Amino acid sequence: MDIKFAHFSIKKSHRQLLLVGVTSSLILILWLTGHWSRQIALENLQQQNQHQLRLFVANLQGQLEKYEFLPELLATNTLLINFLQHPNDVKSITALNRYLETINKVANASDTYLMNAEGWTIAASNWLSERPFIGRNFAYRPYFQEAMKGKLGRYFALGSTSNKRGYYFAYPVRDKQEILGAVVMKIELLGFEESWSAFKEEFVVTDPDGVIFISTNDEWRYKSLYPLNKSVIDRIHSSRRYGNARIGTLSVVNKDRLSEQAQVVNMGDPRKSDHLMLVQDMPEAGWQVHTFASLGVVNSQVLKSLLFAAILYIAIVLLVLYVYQRGRRIKERERFERRAKQVLERRVKERTADLTAANIRLLREIEEHRRTDETLRQTQDELIQAAKMAALGQMSSGINHELNQPLAAIRSYADNARALLARDRQDEASWNLEQIGELTERMAKISSQLKVFSRKTSGQIVSVSLQAVIENALKIVGPQLKDTETELHRKLPQEELYVMSDMVQLEQVLVNLITNAVHAVELQAERWIQIAVSTKQGKAIIEILDNGPGIDPENLGRIFDPFFTTKSEERGLGLGLSISYRIVEMMHGTLTAGNREQGGAVFTLQIDLADLN
């Protein structure tokens, strides 16, 4: 008992050591994986946002450079110099205001105005607005002070009159070496925030004091990234740079510095995700452009890497255990397989005889199904041909009428020709013979329509012209339309449409639908039928409309059933619509029936358009 107990204790100790080793290895691998994946994810995020930051800065610099030279160019205009020298010239003030207004519109600037040496605005592009700049003193603005020193003044601030954010360019107006005043142009930078607000990253632009004045986050505007001294805040208020806006603080907390331009920061709320902050200077304007990208994607990548490493490590451990267990069970499995093989061989022999007999029965059934399908197809073709013959019988009265007229005319022309020949009037007799020839050709065309209609289908689905099919069908039902005095309206597209169908069968469907429409309107005072063709989503849509009484709603669900008809027996057996439905179904199309709100029935045929590419 003591020996067994000691052996059990040793095994238990080995299992505990193995568990500790596996757990320690997992912790170490996860730590290394997390650290490595975070560094890579931060580098990728930094590269991506560095590119976005360069684009933003380039866009902003391009916008400023587009206007930078305009004040200097305006300062050389003699109209401005003369007015500063003679400010009381009433005639030139209107011309100067109009000139500044025109320049402002052409440059698409916010405001353009002229200031004298004391800082008073004496001409402005907004001279006709409700709150013009004329008569206002902006000497306290730094851009005016820089211009009066002979430099190009640049300044971003809220307009003291308009209360709109804008960037000011000011340039001195000189007469030789004397500075007479300054010309100022203000541009608005609203478009940057709107165009960049769709990005996941936040973009901000700070002034030399670190106050945000352009931001894709409205809540950050007029706040500093770091706490400001009271003297700095007093100086901002005294210059009226941001009007009455309250200067707040975002309290950015630096956590991890990656480089001179990149560091991980927290926006003052430890519960929120950290951000990667990138910075780029704009020395000409004295600004700094920042981009803040949430580290959510970095944390997500780290989590994925940790999960993958844990799964991979566990998979390796399980694989090792599996290989170990598999080695123990191979022999047992081999014994089981030998026994199973013997049982299987015996069962295979038993089942082989059953399967052979079942296979013979199955082959016989397949052959019987094939013969049945062939008989069904042949019967269906014969039904279609029988329907054609029935339609020919229904059209016989109209065709007889079409043939009787030329036959009577031929007899009359023949009698005339014989009498004229007896009188030796050959020219007149020849004309009568020509008329007989034309009438014979007309009768041949009528008979050819019957031949085309009665021909058998090829059974192949090919690309055919829809307009040609419609024209052939109308030639066949033409005598019926004429005999019943039914008007035919067509709404066909100008371009040729090609559909995938059997031309003969599609003609049969259209003949059936048009013939039914003729029967439907025969009791109306004014009779008309309309054929409308359109396309939608790769389908050709053919609508046959009439102004008849429509279809009884109770019959709409049965109208395509075989032998269902509301007509008399001499009009048919009720197979036309049923056969038409099957034909369209074989061509992978649809045929539906309904009633129009204005009255009358509508049959809609949808069939695939041919791909001619």
Side-chain angles (χ1 to χ4, degrees):
M1 289 294 295
D2 294 338
I3 296 175
K4 291 183 178 180
F5 180 76
H7 180 69
F8 175 77
S9 299
I10 292 173
K11 280 190 173 183
K12 184 176 181 181
S13 175
H14 286 171
R15 286 198 297 269
Q16 291 177 345
L17 289 175
L18 180 62
L19 180 61
V20 171
V22 170
T23 305
S24 300
S25 301
L26 177 61
I27 294 173
L28 178 61
I29 290 174
L30 292 179
W31 185 85
L32 293 174
T33 301
H35 178 75
W36 169 74
S37 62
R38 187 174 187 273
Q39 294 298 322
I40 293 178
L42 280 174
E43 290 177 4
N44 294 336
L45 184 63
Q46 181 178 349
Q47 292 177 2
Q48 177 183 353
N49 284 271
Q50 192 72 47
H51 176 69
Q52 297 287 353
L53 181 61
R54 291 194 192 100
L55 289 178
F56 187 85
V57 171
N59 195 5
L60 189 57
Q61 286 178 337
Q63 185 73 3
L64 297 180
E65 291 172 357
K66 185 171 66 174
Y67 291 94
E68 184 176 358
F69 71 95
L70 290 177
E72 183 177 357
L73 182 63
L74 287 175
T76 61
N77 192 297
T78 56
L79 187 63
L80 277 68
I81 298 173
N82 292 337
F83 187 74
L84 286 172
Q85 292 174 339
H86 307 286
N88 296 324
D89 187 354
V90 179
K91 295 182 179 180
S92 61
I93 181 61
T94 301
L96 179 58
N97 284 328
R98 292 185 183 277
Y99 173 72
L100 293 178
E101 182 181 13
T102 302
I103 291 297
N104 195 70
K105 289 181 179 179
V106 172
N108 196 23
S110 176
D111 297 294
T112 305
Y113 50 97
L114 179 65
M115 303 170 61
N116 63 15
E118 288 75 29
W120 294 96
T121 304
I122 58 177
S125 60
N126 63 353
W127 62 294
L128 293 177
S129 65
E130 295 180 359
R131 303 181 65 185
F133 291 172
I134 299 175
R136 295 181 180 270
N137 192 300
F138 301 119
Y140 60 87
R141 290 294 199 186
Y143 62 79
F144 173 75
Q145 299 168 8
E146 290 294 319
M148 295 307 294
K149 294 178 183 179
K151 304 177 183 178
L152 173 65
R154 307 161 66 106
Y155 196 65
F156 184 92
L158 286 177
S160 59
T161 302
S162 63
N163 201 33
K164 293 182 179 180
R165 291 178 293 159
Y167 193 74
Y168 296 83
F169 290 101
Y171 199 80
V173 180
R174 293 186 175 92
D175 180 21
K176 297 181 180 179
Q177 298 300 323
E178 180 184 1
I179 299 178
L180 304 177
V183 59
V184 183
M185 179 172 286
K186 176 185 176 183
I187 61 173
E188 294 183 359
L189 302 176
L190 298 177
F192 290 96
E193 295 173 332
E194 296 176 358
S195 60
W196 290 83
S197 61
F199 288 86
K200 296 184 294 184
E201 300 82 5
E202 302 287 357
F203 291 87
V204 301
V205 183
T206 59
D207 63 12
D209 297 318
V211 178
I212 298 172
F213 59 89
I214 295 178
S215 174
T216 54
N217 189 330
D218 295 338
E219 297 180 357
W220 292 2
R221 197 173 297 122
Y222 308 130
K223 293 184 180 180
S224 61
L225 296 179
Y226 306 101
L228 301 178
N229 295 329
K230 186 177 183 302
S231 59
V232 175
I233 296 177
D234 292 341
R235 175 165 48 81
I236 293 174
H237 286 311
S238 64
S239 66
R240 306 181 196 176
R241 184 167 199 167
Y242 301 118
N244 297 323
R246 182 177 176 273
I247 307 301
T249 304
L250 288 179
S251 299
V252 175
V253 179
N254 299 329
K255 298 187 68 175
D256 188 7
R257 192 174 189 84
L258 304 179
S259 65
E260 291 295 328
Q261 290 80 27
Q263 55 185 321
V264 177
V265 299
N266 187 277
M267 306 307 292
D269 188 354
R271 295 173 299 175
K272 293 185 178 180
S273 174
D274 295 338
H275 288 72
L276 174 64
M277 183 180 73
L278 301 180
V279 184
Q280 182 169 338
D281 293 331
M282 290 184 63
E284 297 84 359
W287 299 345
Q288 281 191 330
V289 182
H290 306 69
T291 177
F292 294 87
S294 173
L295 294 190
V297 63
V298 174
N299 297 333
S300 176
Q301 185 63 38
V302 171
L303 182 61
K304 291 179 181 178
S305 300
L306 290 175
L307 184 61
F308 176 77
I311 293 174
L312 181 62
Y313 181 81
I314 293 173
I316 293 174
V317 172
L318 293 177
L319 180 62
V320 172
L321 293 175
Y322 169 75
V323 171
Y324 173 75
Q325 292 293 333
R326 187 173 180 273
R328 295 179 55 188
R329 295 178 180 177
I330 285 179
K331 293 183 179 180
E332 182 180 353
R333 181 179 297 176
E334 289 177 351
R335 289 193 299 270
F336 173 78
E337 288 178 353
R338 283 196 298 269
R339 292 195 300 268
K341 185 178 179 180
Q342 294 172 357
V343 174
L344 181 62
E345 289 177 352
R346 185 177 67 253
R347 291 182 179 178
V348 166
K349 291 179 181 179
E350 294 173 355
R351 294 293 297 169
T352 299
D354 296 338
L355 290 175
T356 302
N359 190 32
I360 294 173
R361 290 195 301 270
L362 181 61
L363 290 175
R364 291 174 181 174
E365 291 178 1
I366 291 174
E367 179 63 22
E368 184 176 350
H369 282 305
R370 186 189 64 78
R371 289 196 300 268
T372 302
D373 184 66
E374 183 177 351
T375 303
L376 179 61
R377 188 178 300 276
Q378 183 178 359
T379 303
Q380 186 175 16
D381 292 340
E382 291 174 355
L383 278 174
I384 294 173
Q385 196 66 16
K388 290 183 179 182
M389 295 301 105
L392 285 175
Q394 294 175 11
M395 293 187 294
S396 61
S397 60
I399 295 172
N400 287 337
H401 180 69
E402 292 288 325
L403 292 175
N404 284 335
Q405 286 182 340
L407 283 173
I410 289 172
R411 176 176 295 176
S412 177
Y413 284 129
D415 293 339
N416 291 341
R418 187 167 52 250
L420 292 171
L421 288 173
R423 298 175 186 177
D424 199 20
R425 294 164 64 179
Q426 295 183 359
D427 292 339
E428 297 179 16
S430 176
W431 182 85
N432 279 270
L433 293 175
E434 290 177 0
Q435 298 304 312
I436 292 174
E438 293 178 1
L439 290 170
T440 305
E441 184 177 353
R442 177 181 172 187
M443 294 173 64
K445 290 182 178 179
I446 295 173
S447 63
S448 65
Q449 294 176 9
L450 298 177
K451 181 178 179 181
V452 170
F453 183 66
S454 61
R455 71 187 186 276
K456 289 190 176 182
T457 175
S458 64
Q460 295 182 350
I461 305 299
V462 296
S463 173
V464 298
S465 170
L466 181 57
Q467 282 86 342
V469 173
I470 294 174
E471 289 300 326
N472 289 342
L474 291 178
K475 289 178 181 178
I476 295 170
V477 299
Q480 288 182 278
L481 295 172
K482 183 177 179 182
D483 187 51
T484 57
E485 298 181 355
T486 302
E487 295 184 11
L488 177 68
H489 305 297
R490 307 186 194 186
K491 288 187 178 180
L492 306 180
Q494 294 182 354
E495 68 276 7
E496 191 84 5
L497 291 182
Y498 291 88
V499 296
M500 298 302 296
S501 71
D502 183 310
M503 188 170 187
V504 176
Q505 290 186 345
L506 186 56
E507 288 177 10
Q508 172 68 36
V509 172
L510 292 178
V511 168
N512 287 345
L513 296 178
I514 297 172
T515 301
N516 287 346
V518 171
H519 293 163
V521 301
E522 62 184 357
L523 298 180
Q524 303 296 321
E526 294 182 0
R527 295 174 289 279
W528 60 263
I529 297 172
Q530 178 177 297
I531 300 178
V533 176
S534 60
T535 59
K536 183 179 181 182
Q537 298 179 352
K539 299 279 188 180
I541 302 173
I542 309 165
E543 293 181 322
I544 311 296
L545 307 92
D546 61 62
N547 68 332
I551 305 171
D552 191 334
E554 297 180 356
N555 296 333
L556 281 175
R558 306 171 55 200
I559 196 167
F560 294 112
D561 292 345
F563 303 106
F564 176 79
T565 180
T566 58
K567 304 175 185 178
S568 59
E569 293 184 0
E570 60 269 13
R571 286 289 180 86
L573 299 175
L575 291 174
L577 287 179
S578 176
I579 293 174
S580 298
Y581 186 87
R582 299 297 181 270
I583 291 174
V584 174
E585 193 177 51
M586 286 190 299
M587 292 188 291
H588 310 293
T590 59
L591 177 61
T592 58
N595 290 315
R596 301 187 307 123
E597 294 181 0
Q598 302 86 347
V602 55
F603 284 83
T604 304
L605 169 61
Q606 294 191 30
I607 191 167
D608 293 331
L609 289 170
D611 187 3
L612 302 179
N613 295 331

